[in-house]
Amino acid sequence: MSGGTVGAIVEAHRSGAASPEATVARAYARIRAHDDPAIFIALRAEADALAEAKALAAERSRDLPLYGVPVAVKDNIDVAGLPTTAACPAFAYTPKADATCVARLKRAGAIVIGKTNLDQFATGLVGVRTPYGIARNLFDPALIPGGSSAGSAIAVSAGLVPLALGTDTAGSGRVPAGLSNIVGLKPSLGLISTAGVVPACRTLDCVSVLALTVDDAFAALAAIAGPDAADPYSRPRGLGALGALPRGVRLGVPMPGQRLFFGDQASAAAYDAALARLQRLGAAIVAFDMEPFYQAARLLYEGPWVAERYLVARALIASEPEAMHPVTRQVILGGAKPSAADAFAAFYELEALRRVRDHAFRSIDAMALPTVPTVYTVEQVLADPITLNSRLGTYTNFVNLLDLCALSVPASMRADGTPFGVTLVAPAGADAALAALGRAFHADTALPLGATGTAQPPLAAISARAADNESAVAVVGAHLSGMPLNRELTSFGARFLEESATAADYRLFLLPGAPAKPGLIRVDAGGAAIAVEIWAMPADEFGRFVASVPPPLSIGTLALADGRKVKGFLAEAVATHGARDISAFGGWRAFMAQAKLPA
């Protein structure tokens, strides 16, 4: 089972084809065989992990979503009984309790194997700012592994464990994933609790997930997401299930003159090829102005967020400055300089940029960006540690500042054997929608899993029926996929199920006013079948969604062509008096294509 996915491991445990104890033993054997001491800072005693696996099997809790899955945890996240070092021995302490995310992993059936190496205090995107050695890049040992979650990414890519936790404040979970040919999931802010995580920038920090496939990453996200009273930055964000890939997703890409690769033509070509693949999958590629997002990225290391990093390390800097990595110390000391006035100036600028963000996402559903613009050797980064690190964050640094979620997925292998990844970025709350797109894209690449050489498993089918904890909703107008209001669905955690049609007793009207919108009503005679999309929304979000629908629209019960009844958009009949009847087009999408109205 070299390179086994979370899904394959759980299935084997449930069927009895393998045992959690044997899987854990195999993980330790692989770690020994791989023989890179820079991946893990601390390994749990193998006997303890095996005993936990044996006890888990004895409990017969086979329905647990991560039943018997070995996991690694970045060493700035607390695991009870194992030291937390943040890659700084002088900072180390041994926690008595697990971080909330680790506790939830364990409750889901996962078994922690050890703590992984990182750029010290999670400050870096390179993976070389650590006294515990530099983990070997699996595709070219001369190259950096990427950071700060270097050990977690390498452990997954090498097949030592199928799943690992990292953190992501400026790209720390995405950059090493991109350089390791694996998936790096950066959730919406507050979706995963950061209680028990050593802060980098507490207002921006996210626990990230590193896995071989999007399905595996999303399974882990579902297991550990949710509000936590112990984390004041936790937010009650909805998270729906995985959905199918809707058509016409609008993907924003930087205008050609704004695409930065720092002279790396191989990465530029790989990006063009990735965009062509996305188009073949049905996405619409839309150019947008990237400059405001670059501006936001520059704020991260020029504004008060460096001061947040200083807060964590200032006692150590004051007492033992030489105990810190010199580059980390140099970066963090910059946080002692800005004044309160500087901080507020940065806050004002960021708030203005968030308005620009909102404007940009009215015309696109997500961004499709390079995960990194280029890659450097260890020697190059050691010679120029600040500039080259900054370049690696070109397409990642702005994401947390602007409260966006992101998913890095493998895209291709360059001719020189270096992995190239793309990152999908969307507004907060669209985690499930990104996963639906990312899993389809990754499967289409047919790339092997990480560095294991193992082929990807067949993409699991997505149910076209709403689950017991979901409500099916039929959408007919601007909430259709690729339309301006679709984000209102995804922000409530809705997932795409299928295209369908109403029974043949409805009429569709172009309602007066701007922007253009349709109104659907049921009639006694002279009706037609109208095209709709069916989405599944978490039941606990459905009420909030209904309350957000403005008149003259409402949510009622629609009859579908196959006899099913679902909730969906209807209009007040009085609003259609004098309105243009567009039923003959068969649906809003067809009418918009013919009328060429602005979406």
Side-chain angles (χ1 to χ4, degrees), residues 23-25 27-29 31 36-50 52 69-86 95 98-99 101-102 105-106 110-118 149-156 160-166 210:
T23 298
V24 168
Y28 279 92
I31 291 168
D36 182 355
I39 295 175
F40 287 90
I41 291 177
L43 275 173
R44 188 176 173 199
E46 184 174 0
D48 291 345
L50 290 172
E52 182 181 334
V69 173
V71 300
V73 178
K74 186 176 179 178
D75 197 21
N76 60 339
I77 303 173
D78 287 348
V79 174
L82 289 179
T84 298
T85 71
D98 292 323
C101 57
V102 172
L105 272 183
K106 290 181 177 180
I111 297 169
V112 174
I113 298 298
K115 306 290 291 297
T116 55
N117 203 355
L118 66 150
S149 307
S152 288
I154 297 294
V156 170
L160 310 183
V161 292
L163 185 67
L165 294 185
L210 297 115

Side-chain angles (χ1 to χ4, degrees), residues 228-387:
D228 179 18
D231 175 12
Y233 289 95
S234 174
R235 306 183 193 182
R237 296 195 187 275
L239 180 67
L242 274 176
L245 178 64
R247 70 151 125 166
V249 173
R250 301 167 302 167
L251 294 180
V253 302
M255 293 185 291
Q258 295 179 329
R259 299 176 189 180
L260 301 178
F261 294 98
F262 303 99
D264 190 333
Q265 296 304 313
S267 286
Y271 181 56
D272 287 340
L275 296 184
R277 184 181 299 278
L278 286 163
Q279 281 187 298
R280 289 195 298 273
L281 289 171
I285 304 300
V286 181
F288 73 99
D289 183 5
M290 186 73 186
E291 178 50 38
F293 296 90
Y294 290 144
Q295 185 180 347
R298 291 189 289 270
L299 277 179
L300 189 65
Y301 286 100
E302 297 173 358
W305 297 277
V306 185
E308 285 197 88
R309 295 181 185 270
Y310 176 69
L311 284 175
V312 178
R314 64 180 175 181
L316 183 62
I317 289 176
S319 62
E320 284 185 84
E322 70 286 348
M324 291 182 64
H325 189 282
V327 178
T328 307
R329 184 175 65 240
Q330 177 185 346
V331 172
I332 290 179
L333 273 173
K337 299 174 183 177
S339 66
D342 295 328
F344 277 102
F347 295 152
Y348 299 155
E349 184 176 358
L350 180 60
E351 202 60 34
L353 289 168
R354 286 174 174 167
R355 295 292 182 93
V356 176
R357 167 205 65 190
D358 294 343
H359 177 77
F361 278 101
R362 290 190 188 104
S363 58
I364 59 175
D365 300 304
M367 298 175 182
L369 305 172
T371 296
V372 292
T374 187
V375 63
Y376 297 107
T377 65
V378 172
E379 183 179 5
Q380 287 173 317
V381 169
L382 293 178
D384 189 0
I386 303 296
T387 301

Side-chain angles (χ1 to χ4, degrees), residues 168-169 186-194 201-207 231 233-237 354 357 399-406 427-429 431:
D168 190 311
T169 303
K186 190 224 79 80
S188 299
L189 285 173
L191 183 58
I192 301 176
S193 170
T194 56
C201 298
R202 194 176 181 192
T203 59
L204 303 178
D205 291 341
C206 292
V207 172
D231 175 12
Y233 289 95
S234 174
R235 306 183 193 182
R237 296 195 187 275
R354 286 174 174 167
R357 167 205 65 190
V399 171
N400 299 47
L401 279 168
L402 295 178
D403 195 9
L404 303 168
C405 56
D431 305 77

